[in-house]
Amino acid sequence: KMAGSSTPWIGSAYLFLQSTCKTIVLPSLYESSQKKPSVFKALKLALADSTGSVNGVDMLKVHCSHPHLIVQLKFCKQENCRRFLKSYREGALQESLQNHLQLSLAMTTVPLEMELKAGNEHLDNMLKDEDRCLECIYREKPDRLRDEEITQLEECLKSLIIHQSINNNMAVKDCTSLNSPSLPYPSQGSSLSPQVTFIFQGQVFANRTLTPDDHQKFAKFVSKKWKQVGRSLQKNCRALRDPVIDNLALEYDREGLYEQAYQLLLRFIQSEGKKATIARLIAALEENGLISLAEELLGLHSNEDCS
């Protein structure tokens, strides 16, 4: 009744996750380039446990919405969805995810609260009626393709498993360099960024795409100099050509410097894609004497990264 014989059964739901421990903030862990692969690995393994198959449920995107980590799920077979719902209802998924997070993040315990939604329906209120849950999930067709970042994380996880059998230490190094939204360029053989490394204050750093963590730190610390940095970036970024920067200043004047700086870097990231690299931003900061901020972005300051 829910699906014709010729069309495959496809549905979508959102899994809301929140740690009940105040010191563990899941969105911050996921936004941290060092911790992201570990959190993703735990999610992937727990979901595989819930359906009995690595491909039982697909992650389309992971949203960071403090204090929640929200996972958009796609189901392609009704029986897989039934298995997932049973695992969720009985608490097995929660227990599995807590265990995998504990192992992946090397923490003593990661207590979780979970909530499952499909559209406007809170499925937690109807878990005993499995068919009704299935109908709600089936009604919500996925509104997007799988996020590119998820594909990159999947590839990283595969290479991690392969490398682990060869050299455990190497695997950690290979995967902790993963950043949103793509893996480091050498592994992809991409021609988009010929600059694999760059030098700052005599030290060599791996080039990478800008992360949400970089974005927020830039907006927080650049202050009044955001326009100057924008003009340094505009030399090889059409999206920031005049009068764009002045328009941003006017449009976000009421919101203040943080929002103006945030919107500037957002334009840069959206326009340049994988070419929106840390090397380009560091060069612009250096040009404007913002050495302390450059050091902050490169992790040269002692404070812990987002976690």
Side-chain angles (χ1 to χ4, degrees), residues 41-57 83-84 87-88 92-93 95-100:
K41 179 184 176 184
L43 287 169
K44 183 77 179 170
L45 293 175
L47 289 170
D49 289 346
S50 74
T51 59
S53 165
V54 178
N55 302 312
V57 55
R83 286 192 202 106
F84 170 85
S87 176
Y88 181 86
L93 174 63
E95 188 179 342
S96 174
L97 184 52
Q98 286 177 167
N99 290 340
H100 285 303

Side-chain angles (χ1 to χ4, degrees), residues 19 21 23-24 98-99 101-103 105-112:
S19 170
C21 174
T23 57
I24 300 170
Q98 286 177 167
N99 290 340
L101 283 168
Q102 191 178 328
L103 289 167
L105 296 166
M107 291 181 172
T108 50
T109 180
V110 185
L112 292 176

Side-chain angles (χ1 to χ4, degrees), residues 6 85 129 145 152 269:
S6 59
L85 285 169
D129 189 345
L145 295 172
Q152 305 293 350
I269 291 166

Side-chain angles (χ1 to χ4, degrees), residues 40-181:
F40 178 81
K41 179 184 176 184
L43 287 169
K44 183 77 179 170
L45 293 175
L47 289 170
D49 289 346
S50 74
T51 59
S53 165
V54 178
N55 302 312
V57 55
D58 199 12
M59 279 188 276
L60 295 183
K61 186 171 176 64
V62 178
H63 305 263
C64 294
S65 178
H66 290 258
H68 291 101
L69 197 66
I70 307 169
V71 188
Q72 186 176 5
L73 303 172
K74 176 186 174 185
F75 300 92
C76 288
K77 289 182 180 176
Q78 192 180 137
E79 55 266 35
N80 287 336
C81 195
R82 281 192 188 278
R83 286 192 202 106
F84 170 85
L85 285 169
K86 183 174 186 287
S87 176
Y88 181 86
R89 185 174 63 243
E90 294 175 353
L93 174 63
Q94 182 174 354
E95 188 179 342
S96 174
L97 184 52
Q98 286 177 167
N99 290 340
H100 285 303
L101 283 168
Q102 191 178 328
L103 289 167
S104 293
L105 296 166
M107 291 181 172
T108 50
T109 180
V110 185
L112 292 176
E113 276 182 359
M114 289 182 158
E115 195 177 348
L116 191 63
K117 294 181 185 178
N120 296 322
E121 300 287 351
H122 290 249
L123 301 186
D124 297 73
N125 301 331
M126 57 177 89
L127 287 173
K128 288 180 181 177
D129 189 345
E130 194 174 273
D131 286 337
R132 192 179 163 202
C133 287
L134 283 165
E135 282 175 18
C136 293
I137 291 170
Y138 177 71
R139 274 203 307 268
E140 294 300 315
K141 294 291 181 261
D143 58 357
R144 63 180 299 128
L145 295 172
R146 186 158 69 163
D147 197 69
E148 185 185 346
E149 181 183 66
I150 298 291
T151 305
Q152 305 293 350
L153 284 159
E154 294 259 7
E155 289 303 313
C156 182
L157 186 56
K158 282 178 195 169
S159 67
L160 176 66
I161 292 163
I162 293 162
H163 286 141
Q164 268 177 340
S165 61
I166 304 163
N167 184 330
N168 211 33
N169 293 330
M170 277 299 292
V172 175
K173 286 175 187 171
D174 285 348
C175 255
T176 52
S177 60
L178 179 71
N179 288 288
S180 169

Side-chain angles (χ1 to χ4, degrees), residues 226-227 231 242-251:
W226 70 269
K227 276 189 177 182
R231 294 201 168 96
D242 291 323
V244 172
I245 293 171
D246 291 330
N247 288 346
L248 285 173
L250 289 170
E251 192 177 347

Side-chain angles (χ1 to χ4, degrees), residues 13-48:
Y14 286 90
L15 181 64
F16 287 70
L17 304 169
Q18 180 182 355
S19 170
T20 55
C21 174
K22 287 181 181 178
T23 57
I24 300 170
V25 185
L26 291 177
S28 294
L29 288 170
Y30 194 79
E31 285 167 343
S32 157
S33 56
Q34 281 76 28
K35 305 283 176 26
K36 181 177 293 195
S38 300
V39 177
F40 178 81
K41 179 184 176 184
L43 287 169
K44 183 77 179 170
L45 293 175
L47 289 170

